[in-house]
Amino acid sequence: VWIDRCVGRSFGKATLNSSGPVSGSGGVVVTEETARLRRAEAFGFRMRWLLIAASAVLVAAFPPRDPWPMAVLGVVILYNLCGWWILPRLTTEARGRASGLASLALLNVFAVGISFSYSYITESPGWLVFYFLPMSAALRFGVRASVPQALVAVAIDGAARYYAQGRYGLDVDLAALVLRGAVYTGIAVFAGVWAETVLRQRRQLDRAAAEAEARAQRLHALSEIQRERFARALDPREVHENVVQAAVELLGADVARVWIVERESGALGLTAEAGGKDVGAALDEAAAAKQAASAKQAVVAEADGGGYAAYAAMRYEGNVVGVLGVAGAGERPGQEQLDLLDALAASGAIAVENARLFGIWGESQALHRLDQLKSEFIGTISHELRTPLTAILGLAEILATMPAASPTVRTAAGEMLRSSEVMARLVDDLLTFAEFEKGDVVVRHEPVTVEPFLNGAVAGAARLPGGERLRLEPGDPALVASADPVRLRQVMSNLLANALRYAPSGPIVVRYMAEGDVVRIEVSDEGPGIGADEQARVWERFYRGRSVAGIAGERATGIGLAVVKALVEAQGGAVGLTSPPAGGTTFWLTLPAAVPARGTAIPAAAARR
Amino acid sequence: LSRQDTILALMAAGTKRILVVDDDAAVRMVLQLAFERTEYALDAAEDGESALALARETCPDLMLLDIGMPGIDGLEVCRRLKADAATSGIKIVLLTARVQERDREIGLAAGADGYLTKPFSPKAVIAYVDEALAGS
């Protein structure tokens, strides 16, 4: 019992002492086999001390009649001395195995010595060594070792009994011998199974701890990479380089590559490579494309000439932005390595997408700045054109009306005046356009009596070529709109000039009327009309109608109607046109009425005003 | 005749005097030609400094004042004249290439009585001046 308890305790200690299969500092994972050998070695050392102690107790309690015990003790001491000298000079593996085998061999030698020395006592405690033998074998080498060791124990036991029969005339009880053998084996099998169960659990725990630590280290490394390299880089090229560098370092791969999906074509393009060692399993673009298209998780392929290649799709919000591939000459990576590759690909995808969006943002900033500059430029040009235009327009008008001037001069000055008025309108449009582009347009709202206003606008445009075709149809003279007179003048002169220009003949009629809460103004011509497909587009800036091309010598800026629309809408109105296929176009605009339009006003609305 | 005598003679005859201020000679010429055939007497200055001096000396009935000029700009001329009791009675019409609504607000806030934009029709300017001086 005492020996069994000692064995149990020493076994427990041995396993406890070897509990750290992972050495903490370097992150090196000690293999399971090495850990097992270390445990065996520790067990062997403890067993030796146990044997020395047991020998001393037996010699003191039962003085032997023969010199056997002294010889046994001598062997044990010699063995230990040799062990102390030899064992440190062996490798861990050899040491563990040698130590385990030597311990068992020594136990057998010890059993032979004890049983022969004390064979004169039929029921000597020395016989206990035979229970101990198969149990030691089972603990050290597993359950399967216990049966052969039990047979050896029975053989030694039997030999000692026959030796005692010859020397001391003691009887040999064969049945008892067999029974004892069965008991040795039974105890050994029980101990072996117990030890193996405990060892297995222990190993599982050790393995789990090792895995957890390794995973924690990898995650730490991954988060470091994300923080240090991915989050800080905003240049796409730099990000791609960082991803492949990280893959090589973190996964221990020989080579890593990143393919990025081109936005327009959807094709993969190799953008970065690291490692660059020529390995058997070359990373292959076709395989990467396949991975990008299908698998949810990293896939690994073994190369013909040894080595591996693994691919993981880089996904961002469900979209594949690229593929990360690694290859190495070594063993095929385990699931954990593949998970890590997936994690790296996922965080790489975020970094890649970030960099791309940053680039787009920068481009749009630059475009926006350019657009602003353009608007400012147009505004400045418009302003700078006004002063020289003042002189031309003013002098032309003075010359055209100067009584002293010859008719030729007056005619020429009249033409000059018309041209400079057109130019003045274009300059106004340019400035208005720039204002709308910059978004800082300000319109006034004041009552504008429609009839005199339109009379003035028509009179102004009447000086243009063909201006005699303009006619204002009489309407309600008391109709008042809420508008900005300067802006509305600009709108009307654009509409009238357009009508004169694109309707080469026929009257151009201006009408106005109340329509519920709004004032509606129409400009109708009998020109060729505007095709249905073009009707929406004529309001777009820089759009020049097809009919423009047909009119010789016409140069349209393409901003006139865009300015009209923007100005009317800024005044709280709307614009539109109707152009039946038969020809003729009516441009219309609405403005808020300043007082309720007579006859059509709703009483409640009248009361409100 | 000295300038002072001319002014006195004009005032006695009831002739309204207008001071044109513009750094652009062509614009001054347009206005001078335009007002030649009217009953107004026209004087001209080409910058803010001389405009201030001339306005204080001759105290015209109305000024057609450009804004964008080197040195003292039209807005500053307007503010100074309106701040001085001796010259605050002069009607000031800003005549400028600054056509945006914001500029008009700034001009009127500086104390101007009217705001006209370039390019202009000389006839329209004369009509505007007629209207502005009709009451006085």
Side-chain angles (χ1 to χ4, degrees):
Chain A
V1 170
W2 177 77
I3 289 171
D4 281 355
R5 271 170 57 195
C6 283
V7 169
R9 202 188 305 145
S10 71
F11 170 77
K13 266 190 198 160
T15 51
L16 271 178
N17 285 347
S18 62
S19 67
V22 179
S23 85
S25 58
V28 180
V29 181
V30 178
T31 64
E32 201 183 309
E33 175 65 10
T34 316
R36 202 165 59 78
L37 291 170
R38 275 193 188 169
R39 276 199 292 272
E41 183 192 10
F43 177 71
F45 271 113
R46 274 162 189 78
M47 204 54 68
R48 250 164 264 138
W49 287 113
L50 196 70
L51 291 179
I52 291 167
S55 311
V57 168
L58 284 172
V59 170
F62 307 95
R65 295 191 181 171
D66 291 319
W68 283 99
M70 297 310 292
V72 168
L73 265 180
V75 168
V76 170
I77 289 164
L78 195 65
Y79 167 79
N80 277 300
L81 288 174
C82 287
W84 275 315
W85 186 81
I86 291 166
L87 288 176
R89 284 164 177 75
L90 297 174
T91 62
T92 307
E93 197 177 338
R95 207 157 65 203
R97 198 168 294 134
S99 175
L101 278 171
S103 295
L104 209 59
L106 192 64
L107 262 181
N108 282 290
V109 171
F110 183 71
V112 169
I114 291 286
S115 55
F116 278 77
S117 296
Y118 293 96
S119 61
Y120 68 94
I121 310 169
T122 314
E123 296 306 326
S124 151
W127 303 116
L128 279 172
V129 78
F130 295 115
Y131 296 95
F132 191 45
L133 265 177
M135 194 165 67
S136 297
L139 291 176
R140 171 61 186 84
F141 293 107
V143 181
R144 63 203 152 89
S146 60
V147 176
Q149 180 61 74
L151 291 177
V152 170
V154 169
I156 298 170
D157 193 2
R161 302 280 167 167
Y162 280 105
Y163 169 75
Q165 189 183 34
R167 192 173 168 93
Y168 308 113
L170 297 177
D171 290 335
V172 178
D173 185 348
L174 265 176
L177 192 63
V178 171
L179 186 66
R180 279 203 298 276
V183 173
Y184 306 154
T185 313
I187 291 174
V189 167
F190 174 77
V193 167
W194 171 74
E196 281 196 352
T197 309
V198 172
L199 270 179
R200 200 178 309 119
Q201 284 171 353
R202 184 80 225 175
R203 272 200 295 273
Q204 279 170 354
L205 281 176
D206 287 349
R207 205 179 301 129
E211 271 176 22
E213 180 158 334
R215 185 164 299 169
Q217 278 177 357
R218 291 204 186 98
L219 284 177
H220 180 68
L222 189 63
S223 74
E224 285 283 299
I225 282 169
Q226 281 171 347
R227 192 159 51 86
E228 294 297 319
R229 302 209 206 140
F230 290 179
R232 288 187 189 171
L234 284 168
D235 171 44
R237 190 143 295 280
E238 196 184 337
V239 169
H240 301 157
E241 293 290 339
N242 285 347
V243 170
V244 288
Q245 276 298 336
V248 165
E249 287 170 26
L250 206 58
L251 296 163
D254 289 328
V255 62
R257 283 181 190 159
V258 159
W259 292 269
I260 296 297
V261 177
E262 282 157 22
R263 308 285 298 183
E264 282 83 26
S265 61
L268 284 177
L270 181 67
T271 54
E273 188 174 25
K277 235 181 275 177
D278 191 22
V279 290
L283 283 169
D284 160 22
E285 185 147 340
K290 203 172 149 198
Q291 161 66 8
S294 57
K296 288 263 183 286
Q297 285 181 324
V299 292
V300 63
E302 264 167 271
D304 298 335
Y308 68 91
Y311 304 91
M314 299 167 75
R315 281 195 175 75
Y316 182 77
E317 289 183 346
N319 298 320
V320 175
V321 300
V323 175
L324 173 62
V326 290
E331 277 176 31
R332 183 192 171 97
Q335 187 55 45
E336 207 169 314
Q337 299 282 98
L338 292 182
D339 286 348
L340 196 61
L341 181 64
D342 262 336
L344 197 59
S347 59
I350 295 170
V352 165
E353 197 62 7
N354 272 350
R356 193 182 68 81
L357 291 177
F358 182 75
I360 289 173
W361 180 76
E363 276 171 29
S364 79
Q365 286 291 100
L367 278 179
H368 182 68
R369 232 175 359 252
L370 204 64
D371 212 43
Q372 266 183 336
L373 276 179
K374 185 195 71 186
S375 300
E376 272 164 32
F377 174 73
I378 292 175
T380 309
I381 284 292
S382 153
H383 180 259
E384 292 303 314
L385 283 174
R386 276 169 204 284
T387 304
L389 200 53
T390 303
I392 298 168
L393 200 144
L395 292 173
E397 189 188 299
I398 288 163
L399 275 180
T401 55
M402 190 176 266
S406 71
T408 318
V409 169
R410 278 213 293 273
T411 312
E415 284 304 319
M416 231 168 97
L417 180 60
R418 274 198 285 278
S419 296
S420 50
E421 276 170 351
V422 170
M423 197 165 155
R425 199 188 73 239
L426 291 177
V427 167
D428 280 343
D429 284 354
L430 266 181
L431 181 69
T432 309
F433 177 75
E435 282 175 340
F436 277 107
E437 292 280 287
K438 276 167 76 183
D440 65 347
V441 94
V442 184
V443 293
R444 284 186 289 165
H445 290 278
E446 52 187 66
V448 175
T449 311
V450 179
E451 192 186 27
F453 175 83
L454 288 180
N455 258 324
V458 168
R463 287 205 298 240
L464 294 169
E468 68 283 350
R469 293 188 282 132
L470 289 170
R471 191 164 60 80
L472 177 65
E473 207 164 84
D476 180 356
L479 195 58
V480 180
S482 168
D484 182 330
V486 177
R487 305 294 199 178
L488 192 55
R489 183 65 186 258
Q490 200 181 340
V491 167
M492 286 313 297
S493 62
N494 260 310
L495 287 178
L496 296 175
N498 263 10
L500 286 171
R501 194 184 217 179
Y502 299 122
S505 62
I508 289 154
V509 182
V510 181
R511 295 183 195 86
Y512 62 96
M513 64 214 75
E515 203 172 69
D517 258 0
V518 301
V519 173
R520 184 183 170 101
I521 298 172
E522 290 181 358
V523 178
S524 299
D525 65 46
E526 293 180 5
I530 299 169
D533 56 328
E534 270 195 301
Q535 289 185 8
R537 295 205 64 195
V538 294
W539 303 104
E540 286 173 17
R541 55 182 208 167
F542 303 128
Y543 181 79
R544 298 165 63 215
R546 275 199 299 274
S547 53
V548 176
I551 295 169
E554 286 297 351
R555 292 271 190 281
T557 55
I559 59 172
L561 286 177
V563 163
V564 165
K565 180 172 153 70
L567 278 178
V568 171
E569 283 171 359
Q571 293 175 70
V575 292
L577 70 89
T578 53
S579 186
T585 306
T586 299
F587 280 92
W588 57 262
L589 64 94
T590 61
L591 291 166
V595 292
R598 207 183 299 161
T600 55
I602 306 159
R608 199 169 60 234
R609 286 162 200 266
Chain B
L1 287 172
S2 71
R3 173 171 284 224
Q4 208 66 34
D5 294 333
T6 316
I7 292 165
L8 285 171
L10 286 171
M11 283 173 78
T15 305
K16 299 283 169 62
R17 289 162 300 114
I18 295 169
L19 175 59
V20 169
V21 187
D22 202 305
D23 59 329
D24 189 328
V27 174
R28 292 200 303 274
M29 183 189 175
V30 168
L31 289 168
Q32 267 163 342
L33 285 172
F35 279 91
E36 221 167 48
R37 284 176 284 162
T38 66
E39 58 198 20
Y40 300 108
L42 209 73
D43 215 341
E46 59 174 33
D47 58 46
E49 298 271 355
S50 52
L52 277 174
L54 211 53
R56 281 173 186 147
E57 188 192 343
T58 65
C59 210
D61 295 286
L62 186 140
M63 281 174 79
L64 290 170
L65 180 60
D66 187 22
I67 293 180
M69 290 184 293
I72 303 172
D73 74 0
L75 292 173
E76 186 57 31
V77 170
C78 182
R79 278 189 212 105
R80 290 195 194 175
L81 291 177
K82 288 293 179 185
D84 185 348
T87 52
S88 64
I90 303 171
K91 284 203 160 63
I92 296 181
V93 176
L94 294 169
L95 183 55
T96 174
R98 298 182 187 178
V99 298
Q100 284 176 288
E101 187 57 30
R102 206 184 308 111
D103 299 314
R104 172 194 290 272
E105 281 160 15
I106 292 168
L108 296 180
D113 301 280
Y115 197 93
L116 291 175
T117 55
K118 292 177 184 172
F120 54 83
S121 154
K123 271 191 284 187
V125 172
I126 292 168
Y128 192 89
V129 170
D130 283 343
E131 201 181 319
L133 291 177
S136 53

